[in-house]
Amino acid sequence: MKSFNSVFGLFFLLSGALDGAEVVDYVDKILPIMKDHCWDCHSKETEVKGNLSLDPETLFDQIGTYNIIRPGNPGESGFVERMKLDESHADFMPRKGSSLPKREIEAIEEWIRAGAIVDGKKLTDDEKKRLAEMGGASPGSDDKQADQFLSWKNREGKVIEARMTGMEGEAVNLVMKNGKSYLVPLNSLSSESVEQAKRLSGK
Ligand code: HEC
């Protein structure tokens, strides 16, 4: 059995393999959705309300650990939160519009989970570093089982993609896309990953 830290260490080493890998990016996958629902109020081409311009070249300002788009973490991204509110809520987006179709919201969540990359063909240094730290696995690319692979974060903040197959005592069994499995002690995981393990195991 390998320790959790060595799993993350391995991912870090593998990051060189990322160059040229397919990434889910904003310009291809998300921009068209934004143009459909948000453009009237959040683009330099029209109007920039709430100081939020969704044009790709200005989007970088919105992406970061403490910003409305938190790479790897759709659940804590205010950007997505607002779209999932009840339409009658004062903070709901698109304002005066109706909820985005579920699959569009899911696409946005997946984009954020995979690192919130703006343009996969023109990765910035920050984005390359981020992808390397995340292990570069972009869920859902061409993997049929992708929806079962979730992000797992350790206490140092490193993230891997893995499928949980069960719990053994105070440890969780994770299988990575290469088929390797690891028994990971809960106390080495971030609190959100511990919650995720408990939720999945129904505890
Ligand atoms: C009819 C105009 C309108 C549309 C369409 C619209 N918004 Fe907004 N949005 C606003 C206004 C006005 C604000 C500023 C007031 C506020 O924060 O509630 C705002 C603020 C925001 C903020 C907060 C920005 C911040 O820095 O806190 C987010 C996030 C946002 N909008 C996302 C969206 C998204 C995503 C869409 C499309 C799905 C969208 N909006 C569509 C008018 C709009």
Side-chain angles (χ1 to χ4, degrees), residues 19 41 44 77 94 126 155 174 177:
D19 295 340
C41 305
K44 287 186 298 181
S77 300
D126 271 358
R155 292 188 151 198
L174 296 181
K177 286 191 174 169

Side-chain angles (χ1 to χ4, degrees), residues 56-67:
E57 60 278 15
T58 52
L59 195 70
F60 293 103
D61 300 343
Q62 310 296 339
I63 302 173
T65 318
Y66 302 105
N67 295 82

Side-chain angles (χ1 to χ4, degrees), residues 166-171 186 194-195 197-203:
M167 301 243 317
E168 285 180 35
E170 289 298 294
L186 283 180
V194 172
E195 284 309 313
K198 292 192 170 151
R199 198 171 62 240
L200 291 172
S201 67
K203 284 190 184 163

Side-chain angles (χ1 to χ4, degrees), residues 8-25:
F8 283 96
L10 175 71
F11 258 76
F12 204 67
L13 288 175
L14 286 175
S15 63
L18 264 177
D19 295 340
E22 279 272 317
V23 292
V24 185
D25 70 7

Side-chain angles (χ1 to χ4, degrees), residues 34 37-38 41-42 49-50 52 62 68 79 82-83 91 93-95 100:
M34 298 292 108
H37 303 281
C38 320
C41 305
H42 293 297
K49 300 230 165 129
L52 175 64
Q62 310 296 339
I68 57 170
F79 186 68
R82 280 180 175 244
M83 291 184 253
D91 290 337
M93 290 294 154
R95 180 141 303 166
L100 268 58

